Amino acid sequence: MNKSFWIPLMVSFGTMIFLYVIGFIANIDILIFNISLSHTEISLLPIGAGMVMGFITERMIKSKSHAN
């Protein structure tokens, strides 16, 4: 696989992990992933932000490859 696949994927996962860690450390409810015996809560904001960052990174790589 080439850079146009791996770099956006890593940026996407990195953003998601970073936001979940910030939510856990700062105890921000909108960024927290909670697991308990009765239910599981997953915040969708870090997932959405990670996907957006992945798309932006992919567009930046494509635009730089077309410019060269």
Side-chain angles (χ1 to χ4, degrees):
M1 301 255 160
N2 54 12
K3 285 184 182 179
S4 64
F5 176 76
W6 288 107
I7 293 175
L9 185 66
M10 295 307 291
V11 167
S12 179
F13 282 128
T15 302
M16 289 180 210
I17 292 168
F18 178 73
L19 288 175
Y20 278 123
V21 168
I22 293 296
F24 179 73
I25 291 171
N27 200 16
I28 302 171
D29 288 334
I30 200 165
L31 299 177
I32 291 180
F33 178 73
N34 290 326
I35 297 176
S36 66
L37 293 176
S38 62
H39 65 283
T40 301
E41 295 178 16
I42 300 173
S43 175
L44 297 178
L45 182 64
I47 295 170
M51 291 175 67
V52 168
M53 290 301 293
F55 287 129
I56 290 171
T57 305
E58 182 181 8
R59 294 292 179 184
M60 289 172 58
I61 290 172
K62 284 185 180 181
S63 68
K64 285 186 180 187
S65 69
H66 288 299
N68 292 332

